Amino acid sequence: DHRGGRHGDGDRRGAEWTAGKSTRRDERRDASARRAAAHAARDEWVFEGTGRAAEYVAGRRWEVAATGFWQAHRGAAQRYSDLVAEWSGLRPGGRAWDLYSGAGVFAARLAEQAGRTGAVLAVESARSAVADGAAALRDLPWVQLRTQRVERWLLEHLGAAAPDVVVLDPPRAGAGKEVVGAVTAGGPTRIIHVGCDPAAFARDLGLYQAAGYRLADLRAFDAFPATHHVECLALLER
């Protein structure tokens, strides 16, 4: 009957709402599990060789763990670091932040521009990458490499001396509102943002623009052939 029909519709809507809530809960749990797995210690076996890889960018040598992060395309690190150096506008004595710095490829180029009277602060959550970067950049004492989550590091540095330029190369999910808000609050003259996922990259660009920055230049590189990922670099200025 009519009443029974109404109850049936209500039951169906209730079931749909419950299913949707359950799906969102499952997605959050899966995301938390992925983050935990990414930072958990993992067993490694080396069957041949040292388990280390030598990489060169702008004449500087890095020795990194074979399981650590490095650009997938063999020419990417050099090309991106060249562009960062071109765009930074950093002068001797300048200050720069390199966020999600990995082994410090961008930090090295910024340090060469800033010189001994300058300062480059770099932060990365992976301890092994920071250790590899410290070894590669030991001749650049004005570079400070820190092992910490970027969000927490930014909270500690809000209100400190403003950097002239900030470089960010966040993971696939992008920087997000919290990080972009903290970076723009620092008031750098230039921001160089790197992203491999077009959707997350576009979202972050919108956040910068809402904070008063304009898109001054944009480059895209097909660094991941046969996938939807495109490595994009944006220069933002106030």
Side-chain angles (χ1 to χ4, degrees):
D1 63 9
H2 179 65
R3 184 177 62 185
R6 284 198 328 194
H7 285 174
D9 290 344
D11 291 343
R12 185 169 59 253
R13 286 194 295 272
E16 290 171 351
W17 180 84
T18 301
K21 184 177 180 181
S22 177
T23 298
R24 290 191 295 274
R25 185 167 57 243
D26 290 343
E27 289 174 348
R28 288 195 296 270
R29 185 172 61 246
D30 290 345
S32 297
R34 286 195 297 272
R35 285 194 296 270
H39 291 88
R42 289 173 287 181
D43 292 335
E44 296 178 7
W45 295 272
V46 178
F47 294 99
E48 185 176 348
T50 64
R52 309 284 291 174
E55 302 285 353
Y56 295 85
V57 181
R60 183 175 294 273
R61 184 180 188 273
W62 274 263
E63 187 177 303
V64 297
T67 55
F69 173 79
W70 195 262
Q71 294 292 341
H73 193 290
R74 68 175 187 171
Q78 180 68 59
R79 186 67 189 93
Y80 304 160
S81 67
D82 286 345
L83 195 55
V84 166
E86 177 187 335
W87 280 353
S88 75
L90 200 59
R91 298 179 180 276
R95 293 179 56 84
W97 290 356
D98 182 8
L99 309 182
Y100 311 95
S101 59
V105 171
F106 297 152
R109 300 300 295 272
L110 295 169
E112 290 166 0
Q113 293 179 311
R116 291 184 176 275
T117 58
V120 178
L121 307 183
V123 60
E124 165 62 46
S125 62
R127 292 184 181 278
S128 60
V130 172
D132 294 339
L137 309 184
R138 57 182 175 270
D139 61 318
L140 303 174
W142 56 98
V143 178
Q144 299 179 29
L145 291 168
R146 179 82 174 270
T147 304
Q148 195 171 1
R149 291 191 62 82
V150 167
E151 296 86 348
R152 187 173 301 171
W153 186 90
L154 284 169
L155 286 176
E156 294 178 0
H157 287 75
L158 285 178
D164 300 300
V165 60
V166 177
V167 180
L168 304 88
D169 187 3
R172 187 176 303 159
K177 187 175 182 179
E178 181 182 357
V179 170
V180 171
V183 168
T184 55
T189 303
R190 292 185 170 191
I191 298 170
I192 301 172
H193 188 99
V194 185
C196 66
D197 181 78
F201 182 80
R203 179 208 61 208
D204 287 343
L205 289 192
L207 293 172
Y208 289 120
Q209 290 175 320
Y213 282 79
R214 67 177 184 86
L215 181 62
D217 207 340
L218 175 67
R219 306 287 175 85
F221 299 90
D222 186 16
F224 312 95
T227 76
H228 77 280
H229 295 293
V230 178
E231 194 81 8
C232 298
L233 284 81
L235 171 62
L236 298 121
E237 297 179 338
R238 289 197 297 173

